[in-house]
């Protein structure tokens, strides 16, 4: 296999000058914990990360004030060429933590030849996350003219196949559709030298472990692998142990599974007979702001159907969506109270509502 370059990190003099006590204070302040040997010091500003000018210009154009905790520690780790495990909550900035080093990595590799597969492969559990990642890669890779494609199921393959045939430096994919592309010979993983597993815990929860292991078995073993996850269960630890070499790890906050602390949670324990009255009161209060939306989770499809019917009878436009892997869910779209009153009058036979239309709903 041809050799390739994967170590690009040069420590900024200001970072080098910081004492171990200063570094420990910074990590403690941002709840950063590290594991492994020779872990680089965190950076405190974008300039200290040492990205090339073409990357920094895109970052500064976004107006970010400073790196997030996972970026401060994760960028030096990823740029060093080491295998990395990052544990941080969703919304902490993990995507940029691996996207920017990926761009640097791509620009240091030979250009793609006809028939070559991608240089960077990002595996994600869902179509929605894959599309979000593609948006970030597109935004920050445009100055380098880095091509990418997003490969996921549930849509026709034609456009994805054409992108792969033209050649892309980055492929963001869900495991199932990528397996289809590989087995049909539409792409290959011979050029992959930078691999990302994003939301690894979710992929394993969704049953993708066999597909992930099959994909990883087709990538050269000396690649750089970055695994990102919100939690660190034994299944993710086993995957890291099997496929990452001498990895270094950064954890932001606790390793225990917990809810996002920025979300206020109120728990009410009620009897079965009190549920609907409680729900109605909450709906009335929350929908005082007509822009609000509500998700109601239920245990079974039958209960979801019952609640949907009850809410519609009471004038709430409710849509029932099912998730066969986990649970049924209801999406309630907010409407003004005059509409609800008109719907109630229609139910009581006082007048006919003529202008109601099925509300448009996005994908969830």
């Amino acid at each position: 296999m041809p050799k390739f370059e994967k170590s690009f990190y040069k420590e900024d003099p200001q970072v080098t000058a910081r004492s171990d006590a200063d570094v420990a204070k910074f990590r403690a302040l941002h709840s950063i914990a590290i594991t492994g040997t020779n872990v680089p010091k965190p950076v405190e500003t974008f300039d200290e990360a040492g990205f090339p000018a073409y990357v920094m210009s895109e970052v500064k154009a976004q107006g970010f004030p400073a790196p997030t905790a996972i970026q401060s520690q994760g960028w030096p780790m990823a740029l060093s060429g080491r295998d990395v495990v990052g544990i941080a909550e969703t919304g902490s900035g993990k995507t940029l933590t691996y996207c920017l080093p990926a761009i640097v990595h791509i620009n240091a590799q030979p250009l793609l030849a006809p028939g070559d597969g991608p240089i960077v492969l990002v595996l994600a559990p869902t179509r929605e996350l894959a599309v979000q990642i593609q948006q970030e890669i597109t935004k920050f890779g445009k100055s380098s003219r880095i091509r990418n494609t997003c490969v996921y199921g549930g849509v026709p393959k034609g456009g994805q196949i054409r992108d792969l045939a033209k050649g892309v430096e980055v492929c963001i994919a869900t495991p199932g559709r990528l397996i289809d592309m590989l087995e049909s010979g539409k792409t290959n993983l011979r050029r992959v030298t930078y691999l990302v597993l994003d939301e690894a815990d979710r992929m394993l929860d969704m049953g993708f472990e066999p597909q992930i292991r099959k994909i990883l078995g087709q990538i050269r073993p000396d690649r750089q692998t970055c695994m990102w996850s919100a939690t660190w269960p034994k299944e993710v630890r086993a995957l890291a142990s099997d496929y990452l070499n001498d990895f270094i790890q950064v954890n932001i906050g606790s390793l225990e599974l917990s809810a996002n602390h920025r979300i206020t949670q109120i728990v009410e324990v009620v009897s079965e007979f009190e549920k609907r009255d409680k729900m109605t009161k909450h709906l009335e209060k929350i929908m005082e702001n007509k822009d609000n939306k509500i998700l109601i989770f239920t245990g079974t499809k039958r209960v979801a159907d019952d609640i949907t019917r009850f809410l519609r009878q009471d004038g709430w436009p409710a849509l029932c969506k099912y998730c066969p892997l986990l649970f049924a869910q209801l999406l309630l779209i907010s409407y003004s109270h005059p509409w609800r009153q008109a719907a109630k009058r229609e139910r009581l036979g006082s007048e006919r509502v003529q202008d109601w239309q099925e509300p448009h709903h996005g994908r969830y």
Side-chain angles (χ1 to χ4, degrees):
M1 292 182 294
K3 294 183 178 180
F4 69 97
E5 181 63 35
K6 61 179 179 180
S7 178
F8 308 101
Y9 184 60
K10 293 183 179 179
E11 193 170 74
D12 187 272
Q14 292 186 0
V15 178
T16 304
R18 290 193 185 106
S19 66
D20 291 342
D22 290 337
V23 171
K25 182 178 179 181
F26 179 84
R27 286 174 174 158
L29 180 64
H30 294 87
S31 301
I32 299 172
I34 58 169
T35 305
T37 59
N38 300 319
V39 178
K41 296 178 181 179
V43 299
E44 297 185 13
T45 68
F46 293 115
D47 290 329
E48 290 177 358
F51 287 115
Y54 60 84
V55 173
M56 283 309 307
S57 62
E58 295 293 337
V59 172
K60 290 182 177 179
Q62 302 304 313
F64 300 128
T68 66
I70 189 68
Q71 292 165 358
S72 292
Q73 185 61 72
W75 277 335
M77 296 166 72
L79 287 168
S80 71
R82 304 274 300 275
D83 284 357
V84 176
V85 170
I87 311 297
E89 66 180 12
T90 301
S92 59
K94 294 196 296 292
T95 305
L96 275 191
T97 309
Y98 62 75
C99 281
L100 299 190
I103 293 169
V104 175
H105 183 100
I106 291 167
N107 286 325
Q109 311 309 319
L111 296 176
L112 292 179
D116 279 350
I119 295 171
V120 170
L121 174 63
V122 182
L123 292 179
T126 65
R127 166 185 179 169
E128 289 76 15
L129 178 58
V131 170
Q132 290 175 20
I133 296 168
Q134 183 185 32
Q135 291 170 349
E136 295 301 302
I137 289 285
T138 300
K139 183 191 305 178
F140 292 97
K142 63 182 179 182
S143 61
S144 302
R145 298 182 179 179
I146 290 174
R147 297 163 295 177
N148 68 71
T149 192
C150 200
V151 174
Y152 50 80
V155 297
K157 299 178 183 179
Q160 299 171 3
I161 292 173
R162 286 192 292 273
D163 287 345
L164 293 170
K166 291 177 184 177
V168 292
E169 284 80 14
V170 183
C171 178
I172 307 106
T174 55
R177 176 55 65 92
L178 181 59
I179 291 286
D180 290 345
M181 294 295 190
L182 293 171
E183 291 180 343
S184 60
K186 304 303 180 183
T187 191
N188 63 79
L189 305 179
R190 293 189 295 269
R191 282 292 305 269
V192 173
T193 49
Y194 188 99
L195 170 67
V196 176
L197 303 178
D198 199 0
E199 296 202 4
D201 51 351
R202 282 187 66 193
M203 285 196 285
L204 297 185
D205 285 344
M206 295 171 69
F208 284 132
E209 183 170 358
Q211 292 93 327
I212 292 171
R213 291 182 178 272
K214 187 172 184 178
I215 291 167
L216 268 56
Q218 300 186 45
I219 305 175
R220 54 189 295 168
D222 59 344
R223 65 185 179 263
Q224 180 181 4
T225 304
C226 298
M227 178 184 289
W228 306 93
S229 182
T231 58
W232 188 229
K234 62 180 181 181
E235 294 82 4
V236 178
R237 292 198 296 269
L239 194 66
S241 176
D242 291 344
Y243 290 100
L244 275 65
N245 300 312
D246 188 28
F247 64 86
I248 50 181
Q249 181 173 337
V250 53
N251 311 315
I252 307 299
S254 172
L255 284 177
E256 299 299 322
L257 180 62
S258 62
N260 191 323
H261 297 294
R262 292 174 294 185
I263 298 173
T264 300
Q265 299 186 73
I266 301 173
V267 179
E268 295 185 24
V269 180
V270 298
S271 70
E272 189 69 27
F273 301 104
E274 297 175 294
K275 282 185 178 181
R276 290 200 174 180
D277 285 341
K278 284 281 187 181
M279 180 177 66
T280 300
K281 290 178 181 178
H282 284 307
L283 290 176
E284 294 282 357
K285 183 177 180 180
I286 293 169
M287 289 306 178
E288 288 175 359
N289 182 344
K290 65 180 181 179
D291 293 327
N292 285 343
K293 296 180 176 66
I294 300 173
L295 280 173
I296 299 177
F297 296 95
T298 69
T300 66
K301 178 178 181 294
R302 180 179 178 180
V303 173
D305 288 334
D306 288 344
I307 295 177
T308 303
R309 186 163 46 251
F310 163 75
L311 291 171
R312 285 179 172 174
Q313 288 173 352
D314 198 37
W316 296 101
L319 176 68
C320 194
K321 302 285 283 185
Y322 304 118
C323 178
L325 290 176
L326 299 174
F327 33 61
Q329 62 183 16
L330 293 170
L331 173 61
L332 307 181
I333 304 298
S334 61
Y335 273 75
S336 63
H337 285 285
W339 185 92
R340 294 192 62 237
Q341 296 301 324
K344 286 182 178 179
R345 287 196 299 271
E346 178 191 15
R347 190 174 73 251
L348 296 174
S350 60
E351 68 177 51
R352 179 75 177 172
V353 177
Q354 300 290 344
D355 58 351
W356 183 83
Q357 294 181 347
E358 184 70 24
H360 172 75
H361 304 286
R363 297 181 63 90
Y364 290 85

